[in-house]
Amino acid sequence: MREKVKEIRSSQVNIADAFWSRMQEKVIDVVIPFQEKVLNDEIPGVEKSHAIENFRIAAGLKTGEFYGMVFQDSDVAKWLEGAAFSLAVRPDAALEARADEIIEIIGKAQQPDGYLDTYFIIKEPEHRWQNLHECHELYCAGHMMEAAVAYYDVTGKDQLLHVVERLADAIIDRFGPEEGKEHGFPGHQEVEIGLMKLYHTTGKEKYKDMARYFLEERGKDPDYFYQEKVKRGWQHWGQYSLDQLDVSYNQAHATIYDQKEAVGHAVRALYMYTAMADLARTDGDERLYQACRTLWENIVNRKLYITGGIGGNPEGEAFSNEYELPNDMAYAETCVSIAMVFFAHRMLEMETDGAYADIMEKELYNSTVSGMQLDGKRYFYVNPLECEPGASGKLFGYKHALPVRPGWYACACCPPNLVRMITSLGKYCWDESGSTIYSHLMIGQTAKLEKAEITIETRYPWEGEAVYTVKPVTGQEFTLAIHVPYYVDLGQEETCLTVNGERINAQEILQKGYVYIRRKWADGDQVAIRFPMEVRRVYANQRVREDAGCVALMRGPVVYCFEGVDNGELIQSLRIPREAAVTPYVCEEGILKGNTLLKIEGCRMVGSEALYSEKPPVREEAVLTAIPYYAWANRGETQMRVWMLE
Amino acid sequence: MREKVKEIRSSQVNIADAFWSRMQEKVIDVVIPFQEKVLNDEIPGVEKSHAIENFRIAAGLKTGEFYGMVFQDSDVAKWLEGAAFSLAVRPDAALEARADEIIEIIGKAQQPDGYLDTYFIIKEPEHRWQNLHECHELYCAGHMMEAAVAYYDVTGKDQLLHVVERLADAIIDRFGPEEGKEHGFPGHQEVEIGLMKLYHTTGKEKYKDMARYFLEERGKDPDYFYQEKVKRGWQHWGQYSLDQLDVSYNQAHATIYDQKEAVGHAVRALYMYTAMADLARTDGDERLYQACRTLWENIVNRKLYITGGIGGNPEGEAFSNEYELPNDMAYAETCVSIAMVFFAHRMLEMETDGAYADIMEKELYNSTVSGMQLDGKRYFYVNPLECEPGASGKLFGYKHALPVRPGWYACACCPPNLVRMITSLGKYCWDESGSTIYSHLMIGQTAKLEKAEITIETRYPWEGEAVYTVKPVTGQEFTLAIHVPYYVDLGQEETCLTVNGERINAQEILQKGYVYIRRKWADGDQVAIRFPMEVRRVYANQRVREDAGCVALMRGPVVYCFEGVDNGELIQSLRIPREAAVTPYVCEEGILKGNTLLKIEGCRMVGSEALYSEKPPVREEAVLTAIPYYAWANRGETQMRVWMLE
């Protein structure tokens, strides 16, 4: 395991990147204000949120009834976290003042004993903490902890941090391994992440211990949720009988050490794995690290869509069987890809292996940002790899996989998750440990690190070039370790790594996907990496029956797809022969302007008009266009495929 | 339209056929006795039927409560119909006596006004005829009419016929276009078929008129079912609001003349089309014939699986969009393929076009009999074209598509439907009109027709040869018209048609798939047809995205499939190159003994062990085995595919 890394705060990084700056603008200009209006019930046509009003009522500032999901509070927490990160990207005194006001209300809603959940405060105070399985109190608490930590990090204001500390203390008072305390764990993991972040910020061991308790208590008794139900006696939440109850949905079927396959609701799973990895690296816990590795490898080697999508089973928004990765029926929720970035990031903090950074890249450039329309106004929760208008979003099996992004949902998980990922992107770019700065992502930016201020100039992912300009803080020698994506062949003539214009042998200093450049850095020293961005033909394992006979195209980390709008009807009849010439070009106009598209000299199979015929289809040459997957469905309802027959 | 044909009674035909005699034995030896025991609640482990007991209670012979589905009565009717046909195949005095007893009970259950439905007689006499939408009274009546007609045809006994006549008269008293009568139509079509059969048997126009009324009333007011609900006032049946109600499920969205696309629940649809065709041919009704043609062509050209399976949408056991024919998610209910035989048969009676007989063959040799395990003991309701153990029958999207045939269901529609089709097969083989005998199917048998007794000797569908031996009844000249399947090329040297060994020019006497041989027949005259049975590579229309890049193999009417048990794991990695040598051979042992299997010199794509890889898969030669589709899943749970990548 790596020596302890120093995490980067998002406010240390200032993104200036062709790909990401536009994304940050959209979430700050469009998504955050939109969600704020939703929370305040100011958007006609969007289902009433009432989330802030719930806090006002709980605080006694208003009278009225609770309204919304049992986890409605988490919407406020998620907004606050995103708003906090956005203040680091672009300070906004008015926004900060409004956030402070909301925090004030939250503080007033908190009960004298530290309890904080408006559903139970308003509606069922006598039923607190009695249905961990379904009632999301710990889930909401976890999100509030994340928000508090982010808000403190960015603004230095600790009011919300004190609120969540009191809340965490209330949780610690009630739950734990000690006799006299209740033994239990949440039905939806999240508090574990929050407690770990609270530990990192406050340094108080009790929060880390509580995270470990919730993680390790999980699955010890697979009947726990059923027993909880029997114990509480009340029935209006929780319709399950033990027969119907599949606790693998909640990853509660076995202890975290005995879970060898990633199963169940994928967001719950990834939040848990993320917390496990954070705890493992924090405690240097080898056993826990191995548990994380097992689950990581299961996902990456058997359960991951090429786009980074996770969750092949729409039922339960869940992992499916190994290698069961249906394209048109995919669930691949945006939130899960985002959570995979979190998990990869924590794994990377334990082990400097480019494979983790490669997965972060895969997620970041594909199945996370595909969740947002290019204008920031509409969102995919489900990210299929094949779309058939008329079937997708309509027919049995495909109802969840919409052909165009819908607007805001009552259960608004994905857009705020995108907000926090995109506004806190800097956190994933770097870390520092000992005498080394690690660069995980080639994203244009200026980063104020402990040892140096580093500026990256790049057109990645469209071009294979990045220039790092270093301004050291001290005169001490240190190492700059730069992640080289897995597809870059450092042995190739066209690939080169230079320091101040002088080529160095990259292969000699390459270790597990990172080149390590150690020197006494002078102000303005430049490291440049250049590599050809070739279009790569990728094949799926033969076990993936949905991808049999197919190829997908990638260039850099970007997965491409084919849309009907560019390629005419029946894109299933198109073929990408092995010898097909593929030419990348920059799109010069329209909504895809600035993206690198692909022109493919492929063909189209033309067959009989009959439903079935003995006449074999014949090839016709056809020039095809592929666009980055993340940008699909931005030009109306049209067919789409990632995997194309060869 | 053809001149009026004379229908054949099943008792005129004595099947002696390599393929079908075994099927008849299985349904007579296994299915009929099994169902009889089920009806009498004598099979432990099968959900209680209570169906005969319901009749006893309704008849006042027993006391007790109704038990079962609202349409439980139809199980008794279906069994009686199958038992009747089986008595023609193999007389059985004991079985007949038991059937007579049941008929006796049914007669006693009938109410003084002719009403007959045990659910309403026992449970809700005040609610009779008030929920045509969901309560299946007319559906049960229709099946009882079919049973009565069959029983009368085979045994000459008319007790049940009188019962259903009184029932039909009660229906006519209540429903109809006249003022003072109720206007309505059933939610599940079937009574229309029964009434038409009752008309054919009794010659009473009123039954035909009633069938026409129900058909033509349908869809005149698409809100009818909703209004019926409002009118009846009671709610314990019928949860639908008008918003939720999609009456295209019941083919009630438009009149039968305005329905241009086959939609909704496929059994309901096909029963309706069958009755429409019967009425059209009976009345020589050109407009109704055109309505039938439109729906026929829509199915055959856009909604039919290559196996004859119908119903691409498991939701509502329904037709899907045009060309939307998912293989692993197919519904393709056995009952629907059987109903397609009925529909094709009725169309054929209107128009001597081999295309109808070809579809009958497609259904008979594939997606109907695939519903029954080779031992007759287990049954598929759903007949997918691809099976993936671990997913099929288990995962979202595939739960309905089981990998092995289950036993008896509480809703036992398919097995009794198979019984009646297989035991009455003779009906579909022939018809006579004017001075012509039409042979539609090459099935080994002796048929006692009006103009002649004809024996067919054949090994069809395994061999392309059939010998017709004619024993004329009169000395008059007549024509023997023999259906030549669509895939037979009469211009080919190896194909020949002989009369008493002398080759005749078949092409000259071919018209729409039939060769017309007119002569003064002498006792023992023999017509022989011989044609090569080549394996044919079949391609689906490019619009069928699930079959893109794939080929299916057929030989004669038989569709082949590939199972894992013969071909190793990952059958999606197998390829059938266009030039692959394919050799048919007769299976000599095991459960498939007697079937013609195929040996294919194909290949297997072997790729990287990684989930995704840039290493293209490489071909390895592989000898593959294909088996007839109908016989799949007889050797345990294993992968299966009909459509294979080329």
Side-chain angles (χ1 to χ4, degrees):
Chain A
M1 217 179 284
R2 290 173 68 178
E3 57 184 319
K4 198 71 144 280
V5 301
K6 177 154 175 49
E7 272 194 74
I8 303 305
R9 289 160 47 217
S10 67
S11 51
Q12 292 175 257
V13 175
N14 189 7
I15 303 285
D17 184 84
F19 191 94
W20 290 106
S21 291
R22 199 186 55 75
M23 294 280 178
Q24 290 198 331
E25 276 163 31
K26 293 299 171 196
V27 302
I28 293 173
D29 293 342
V30 179
V31 191
I32 293 175
F34 187 89
Q35 194 190 3
E36 190 181 353
K37 288 201 180 82
V38 171
L39 292 177
N40 285 302
D41 303 314
E42 291 168 7
I43 307 271
V46 171
E47 200 183 325
K48 184 168 76 161
S49 160
H50 207 259
I52 293 175
E53 198 68 2
N54 288 337
F55 277 102
R56 284 198 193 93
I57 295 165
L61 302 171
K62 283 271 188 84
T63 55
E65 258 315 300
F66 176 91
Y67 178 89
M69 310 268 191
V70 74
F71 48 83
Q72 204 78 350
D73 288 2
S74 64
D75 285 356
V76 177
K78 286 172 180 174
W79 180 82
L80 276 174
E81 188 186 8
F85 289 133
S86 87
L87 292 173
V89 176
R90 190 202 291 167
D92 178 336
L95 174 64
E96 190 171 331
R98 295 197 303 278
D100 286 342
E101 257 178 68
I102 293 172
I103 289 169
E104 183 80 27
I105 298 167
I106 294 170
K108 288 182 178 157
Q110 189 166 38
Q111 302 296 290
D113 64 356
Y115 185 84
L116 180 62
D117 184 294
T118 70
Y119 176 85
F120 285 97
I121 291 171
I122 300 171
K123 284 190 84 148
E124 303 182 44
E126 73 282 14
H127 288 158
R128 289 180 189 177
W129 301 129
Q130 290 177 15
N131 188 346
L132 300 192
H133 181 206
E134 293 157 305
C135 285
H136 288 74
E137 288 157 289
L138 291 169
Y139 170 84
C140 291
H143 273 300
M144 201 59 85
M145 292 172 197
E146 288 204 87
V149 166
Y151 205 74
Y152 172 72
D153 269 0
V154 173
T155 66
K157 294 177 181 169
D158 62 4
Q159 188 178 3
L160 191 57
L161 196 66
H162 290 317
V163 168
V164 299
E165 277 207 68
R166 289 214 311 280
L167 171 56
D169 293 342
I171 292 167
I172 292 169
D173 279 351
R174 186 168 191 106
F175 298 100
E178 299 87 354
E179 224 171 301
K181 286 193 180 180
E182 276 186 49
H183 312 321
F185 52 87
H188 194 317
Q189 301 91 320
E190 160 63 26
V191 74
E192 302 85 348
I193 291 179
L195 286 164
M196 285 305 297
K197 286 192 173 176
L198 201 52
Y199 162 73
H200 294 311
T201 296
T202 65
K204 295 177 183 167
E205 293 276 338
K206 59 182 176 180
Y207 301 136
K208 175 163 69 69
D209 293 345
M210 196 64 210
R212 181 177 284 275
Y213 171 75
F214 280 138
L215 288 170
E216 294 193 333
E217 182 66 15
R218 190 164 212 91
K220 268 192 187 162
D221 178 356
D223 283 352
Y224 164 65
F225 290 135
Y226 179 71
Q227 288 160 6
E228 184 198 45
K229 185 188 167 181
V230 171
K231 189 176 160 200
R232 72 176 166 267
W234 46 280
Q235 299 289 339
H236 59 282
W237 274 100
Q239 291 77 29
Y240 301 105
S241 71
L242 188 58
D243 291 350
Q244 297 171 299
L245 192 63
D246 177 7
V247 295
S248 69
Y249 171 84
N250 312 80
Q251 297 79 40
H253 55 296
T255 71
I256 53 174
Y257 302 105
D258 293 326
Q259 296 189 29
K260 305 298 180 194
E261 185 181 345
V263 297
H265 185 257
V267 169
R268 283 171 164 80
L270 265 298
Y271 283 5
M272 179 175 90
Y273 307 158
T274 299
M276 284 164 64
D278 192 2
L279 181 60
R281 62 128 193 164
T282 303
D283 280 357
D285 182 334
E286 182 67 26
R287 183 174 174 225
L288 192 49
Y289 161 73
Q290 287 302 342
C292 294
R293 274 297 304 177
T294 298
L295 292 161
W296 172 270
E297 287 185 358
N298 184 254
I299 297 173
V300 166
N301 296 330
R302 298 175 181 213
K303 298 201 171 186
L304 188 70
Y305 285 99
I306 190 173
T307 54
I310 295 174
N313 189 355
E315 191 175 60
E317 308 174 332
F319 286 102
S320 189
N321 294 354
E322 292 179 345
Y323 302 106
E324 187 69 35
L325 295 163
N327 292 312
D328 48 6
M329 212 198 272
Y331 202 77
E333 189 181 341
T334 306
C335 284
V336 185
S337 285
I338 292 168
M340 189 67 175
V341 176
F342 303 160
F343 185 28
H345 179 228
R346 292 305 184 199
M347 293 301 286
L348 196 47
E349 288 178 328
M350 275 191 280
E351 196 184 0
T352 312
D353 185 334
Y356 300 118
D358 288 327
I359 293 291
M360 280 212 297
E361 276 204 351
K362 180 184 274 299
E363 302 293 353
L364 287 170
Y365 290 103
N366 301 288
S367 202
T368 56
V369 288
S370 59
M372 187 166 75
Q373 198 161 275
L374 290 171
D375 63 8
K377 291 183 177 165
R378 302 176 74 84
Y379 318 95
F380 273 138
Y381 293 63
V382 169
N383 296 276
L385 282 76
E386 180 179 345
C387 171
E388 179 73 15
S392 300
K394 294 201 174 93
L395 294 182
F396 170 87
Y398 312 116
K399 289 191 182 177
H400 60 286
L402 306 179
V404 288
R405 292 172 185 80
W408 206 264
Y409 279 26
C411 178
C413 52
C414 298
N417 241 335
L418 273 171
V419 168
R420 66 170 171 162
M421 184 193 83
I422 291 171
T423 50
S424 68
L425 196 60
K427 289 167 54 153
Y428 307 100
C429 293
W430 306 94
D431 60 53
E432 294 184 75
S433 72
S435 65
T436 307
I437 295 173
Y438 292 90
S439 163
H440 303 308
L441 299 169
M442 278 183 283
I443 292 176
Q445 63 188 294
T446 301
K448 291 194 172 65
L449 307 172
E450 218 173 56
K451 301 177 194 69
E453 180 178 307
I454 301 182
T455 301
I456 305 180
E457 288 165 289
T458 183
R459 284 259 313 145
Y460 197 75
W462 309 125
E463 286 172 25
E465 178 173 39
V467 178
Y468 289 66
T469 305
V470 179
K471 190 174 166 186
V473 172
T474 69
Q476 299 250 295
E477 192 175 274
F478 66 86
T479 302
L480 176 60
I482 298 176
H483 171 236
V484 181
Y486 70 100
Y487 54 82
V488 174
D489 178 1
L490 288 176
Q492 220 177 12
E493 181 54 34
E494 301 88 328
T495 301
C496 72
L497 181 70
T498 62
V499 176
N500 294 332
E502 252 178 76
R503 188 162 180 149
I504 57 172
N505 188 331
Q507 283 179 298
E508 276 178 7
I509 53 169
L510 178 75
Q511 212 181 321
K512 281 197 174 182
Y514 286 76
V515 285
Y516 289 80
I517 303 160
R518 184 162 191 89
R519 57 187 280 136
K520 204 160 161 6
W521 299 86
D523 196 354
D525 274 358
Q526 282 196 328
V527 178
I529 181 164
R530 285 184 191 83
F531 48 87
M533 281 294 248
E534 278 156 12
V535 176
R536 306 188 319 280
R537 301 176 68 92
V538 181
Y539 301 88
N541 189 298
Q542 295 295 318
R543 288 181 182 84
V544 185
R545 65 195 169 95
E546 293 265 343
D547 301 340
C550 290
V551 63
L553 301 182
M554 291 185 72
R555 184 171 176 274
V558 176
V559 176
Y560 281 78
C561 71
F562 293 77
E563 288 199 306
V565 67
D566 300 310
N567 296 294
E569 61 169 6
L570 310 183
I571 59 174
Q572 65 271 21
S573 69
L574 303 178
R575 299 288 182 275
I576 318 289
R578 228 168 250 194
E579 67 284 1
V582 180
T583 315
Y585 67 100
V586 177
C587 179
E588 301 286 3
E589 56 187 7
I591 194 154
L592 300 180
K593 189 174 171 178
N595 283 273
T596 297
L597 313 188
L598 307 180
K599 191 181 97 174
I600 300 108
E601 285 168 31
C603 58
R604 174 182 288 279
M605 302 307 286
V606 179
S608 164
E609 269 306 299
L611 182 52
Y612 302 109
S613 162
E614 291 170 38
K615 201 183 132 207
V618 292
R619 271 184 187 219
E620 277 182 6
E621 289 188 5
V623 177
L624 314 178
T625 300
I627 69 162
Y629 170 75
Y630 87 92
W632 83 278
N634 272 285
R635 293 170 299 164
E637 201 167 318
T638 183
Q639 265 194 307
M640 184 277 288
R641 274 177 83 117
V642 169
W643 290 100
M644 301 289 283
L645 285 161
E646 273 208 302
Chain B
M1 219 178 281
R2 290 172 69 177
E3 58 183 317
K4 198 71 144 283
V5 302
K6 180 157 172 47
E7 274 193 72
I8 303 306
R9 289 160 48 215
S10 67
S11 51
Q12 290 176 258
V13 174
N14 188 8
I15 303 284
D17 183 84
F19 190 94
W20 290 106
S21 293
R22 199 187 54 77
M23 294 281 178
Q24 290 198 331
E25 276 163 30
K26 293 300 172 197
V27 301
I28 294 173
D29 292 341
V30 180
V31 191
I32 293 175
F34 187 89
Q35 192 189 4
E36 190 181 352
K37 289 202 178 81
V38 171
L39 292 176
N40 286 301
D41 304 313
E42 291 168 8
I43 307 271
V46 170
E47 198 182 329
K48 185 169 75 162
S49 160
H50 207 258
I52 294 175
E53 198 69 2
N54 288 337
F55 278 102
R56 286 200 191 93
I57 295 165
L61 302 170
K62 283 274 187 82
T63 54
E65 260 313 302
F66 176 92
Y67 178 89
M69 310 267 191
V70 73
F71 48 83
Q72 204 78 350
D73 288 3
S74 64
D75 284 356
V76 178
K78 287 171 179 174
W79 180 81
L80 276 173
E81 188 187 9
F85 289 133
S86 87
L87 292 172
V89 175
R90 189 202 293 169
D92 178 337
L95 174 64
E96 190 170 331
R98 295 197 303 277
D100 287 341
E101 257 178 67
I102 291 172
I103 289 168
E104 184 80 25
I105 298 166
I106 293 170
K108 288 182 178 156
Q110 188 166 37
Q111 301 296 290
D113 63 356
Y115 185 86
L116 181 61
D117 184 294
T118 68
Y119 175 85
F120 285 97
I121 292 171
I122 300 171
K123 284 191 84 149
E124 304 183 42
E126 72 283 14
H127 288 158
R128 288 180 189 178
W129 301 129
Q130 290 176 14
N131 188 346
L132 300 192
H133 181 207
E134 293 157 305
C135 285
H136 289 73
E137 288 156 291
L138 290 168
Y139 171 85
C140 291
H143 273 300
M144 203 58 85
M145 292 173 197
E146 288 203 86
V149 166
Y151 205 74
Y152 172 73
D153 269 1
V154 173
T155 65
K157 294 177 182 169
D158 62 4
Q159 190 180 359
L160 191 56
L161 196 65
H162 290 316
V163 168
V164 299
E165 277 207 66
R166 290 215 310 282
L167 171 56
D169 293 342
I171 291 167
I172 293 169
D173 279 351
R174 186 167 190 107
F175 299 100
E178 300 87 354
E179 222 171 300
K181 287 193 179 179
E182 276 187 49
H183 311 321
F185 53 87
H188 195 316
Q189 300 91 318
E190 161 62 26
V191 73
E192 303 85 348
I193 291 178
L195 285 164
M196 286 305 297
K197 286 193 173 176
L198 201 53
Y199 162 74
H200 294 311
T201 297
T202 65
K204 294 177 184 168
E205 293 276 337
K206 59 182 177 180
Y207 300 136
K208 175 162 70 69
D209 294 345
M210 196 65 211
R212 181 177 285 276
Y213 171 75
F214 280 138
L215 288 170
E216 295 193 332
E217 182 66 15
R218 190 164 210 90
K220 268 191 186 161
D221 178 356
D223 283 351
Y224 165 65
F225 290 135
Y226 180 70
Q227 288 160 7
E228 184 199 44
K229 184 188 168 183
V230 172
K231 190 176 158 199
R232 71 176 167 265
W234 47 280
Q235 300 288 342
H236 59 281
W237 273 100
Q239 290 76 28
Y240 300 105
S241 70
L242 187 58
D243 291 350
Q244 297 171 299
L245 193 62
D246 177 8
V247 296
S248 68
Y249 171 84
N250 312 80
Q251 297 78 40
H253 56 295
T255 71
I256 54 173
Y257 302 106
D258 293 327
Q259 295 188 29
K260 306 297 180 195
E261 185 180 346
V263 295
H265 185 257
V267 169
R268 283 171 163 81
L270 265 297
Y271 282 6
M272 178 174 91
Y273 308 158
T274 299
M276 283 165 64
D278 193 0
L279 181 60
R281 62 127 193 166
T282 303
D283 281 358
D285 182 335
E286 183 66 29
R287 184 177 174 224
L288 193 48
Y289 161 73
Q290 287 302 341
C292 294
R293 275 296 305 176
T294 299
L295 291 162
W296 172 270
E297 287 186 356
N298 184 254
I299 297 172
V300 167
N301 297 327
R302 300 176 180 211
K303 298 199 171 187
L304 188 69
Y305 285 98
I306 190 172
T307 54
I310 296 175
N313 190 354
E315 191 175 59
E317 307 174 331
F319 286 103
S320 190
N321 294 353
E322 293 179 345
Y323 302 106
E324 188 68 34
L325 294 163
N327 292 312
D328 48 6
M329 212 198 273
Y331 202 77
E333 189 181 340
T334 307
C335 284
V336 185
S337 286
I338 292 168
M340 188 68 176
V341 175
F342 302 160
F343 184 28
H345 179 226
R346 292 306 184 198
M347 293 302 286
L348 196 48
E349 288 178 328
M350 275 193 279
E351 196 185 359
T352 313
D353 185 335
Y356 299 117
D358 288 326
I359 292 291
M360 280 212 299
E361 276 202 352
K362 179 183 275 300
E363 301 293 353
L364 287 169
Y365 290 103
N366 300 289
S367 201
T368 56
V369 288
S370 60
M372 188 166 75
Q373 198 161 278
L374 290 171
D375 63 7
K377 291 183 177 166
R378 302 175 75 84
Y379 318 94
F380 273 138
Y381 293 64
V382 168
N383 296 275
L385 282 78
E386 180 179 345
C387 170
E388 179 74 16
S392 300
K394 295 201 174 94
L395 294 182
F396 171 87
Y398 312 115
K399 290 192 181 175
H400 60 287
L402 305 179
V404 289
R405 292 171 184 80
W408 205 265
Y409 279 25
C411 178
C413 53
C414 299
N417 241 335
L418 272 170
V419 167
R420 65 170 172 164
M421 183 194 83
I422 291 170
T423 50
S424 68
L425 196 60
K427 290 168 53 156
Y428 307 101
C429 294
W430 307 93
D431 60 53
E432 294 185 76
S433 72
S435 66
T436 307
I437 295 173
Y438 292 89
S439 163
H440 303 309
L441 298 170
M442 279 184 284
I443 292 176
Q445 62 188 294
T446 301
K448 292 195 171 67
L449 307 171
E450 219 173 56
K451 302 177 194 67
E453 180 177 308
I454 302 182
T455 301
I456 305 179
E457 289 164 287
T458 184
R459 283 260 313 146
Y460 196 75
W462 309 126
E463 285 172 24
E465 177 173 41
V467 179
Y468 289 67
T469 304
V470 180
K471 188 173 167 186
V473 172
T474 68
Q476 300 250 295
E477 191 176 278
F478 66 87
T479 301
L480 175 59
I482 298 175
H483 171 235
V484 181
Y486 70 101
Y487 56 82
V488 175
D489 178 2
L490 288 175
Q492 219 178 10
E493 181 55 32
E494 301 88 329
T495 301
C496 74
L497 182 70
T498 62
V499 177
N500 294 332
E502 254 176 74
R503 187 162 181 150
I504 58 173
N505 187 330
Q507 283 179 298
E508 276 177 8
I509 54 169
L510 179 75
Q511 212 180 320
K512 281 197 172 180
Y514 285 77
V515 286
Y516 289 81
I517 303 160
R518 185 163 190 87
R519 58 185 279 135
K520 206 162 163 1
W521 299 87
D523 197 355
D525 273 358
Q526 282 196 329
V527 179
I529 182 165
R530 286 184 189 84
F531 48 88
M533 282 293 248
E534 278 156 12
V535 176
R536 306 188 317 281
R537 301 175 69 92
V538 181
Y539 301 89
N541 189 299
Q542 294 295 318
R543 288 182 181 85
V544 185
R545 66 195 167 96
E546 293 265 344
D547 301 340
C550 288
V551 63
L553 301 182
M554 292 185 71
R555 184 170 176 274
V558 175
V559 176
Y560 282 79
C561 71
F562 293 76
E563 288 200 305
V565 67
D566 299 310
N567 296 294
E569 62 169 5
L570 311 184
I571 60 175
Q572 65 270 20
S573 69
L574 304 178
R575 300 288 181 275
I576 318 291
R578 228 168 249 195
E579 67 284 1
V582 181
T583 315
Y585 67 100
V586 177
C587 179
E588 302 287 2
E589 57 188 7
I591 195 154
L592 301 180
K593 189 174 171 179
N595 284 272
T596 297
L597 313 187
L598 308 180
K599 191 181 97 174
I600 299 107
E601 286 168 31
C603 57
R604 174 183 287 276
M605 302 307 286
V606 179
S608 163
E609 270 304 301
L611 182 51
Y612 302 109
S613 162
E614 290 169 39
K615 199 181 132 208
V618 292
R619 273 185 187 218
E620 276 183 6
E621 289 189 4
V623 177
L624 314 178
T625 300
I627 69 161
Y629 169 75
Y630 88 91
W632 82 278
N634 272 284
R635 294 170 297 163
E637 202 168 317
T638 182
Q639 266 195 307
M640 185 277 289
R641 276 176 83 119
V642 169
W643 291 100
M644 300 289 283
L645 285 161
E646 272 208 304

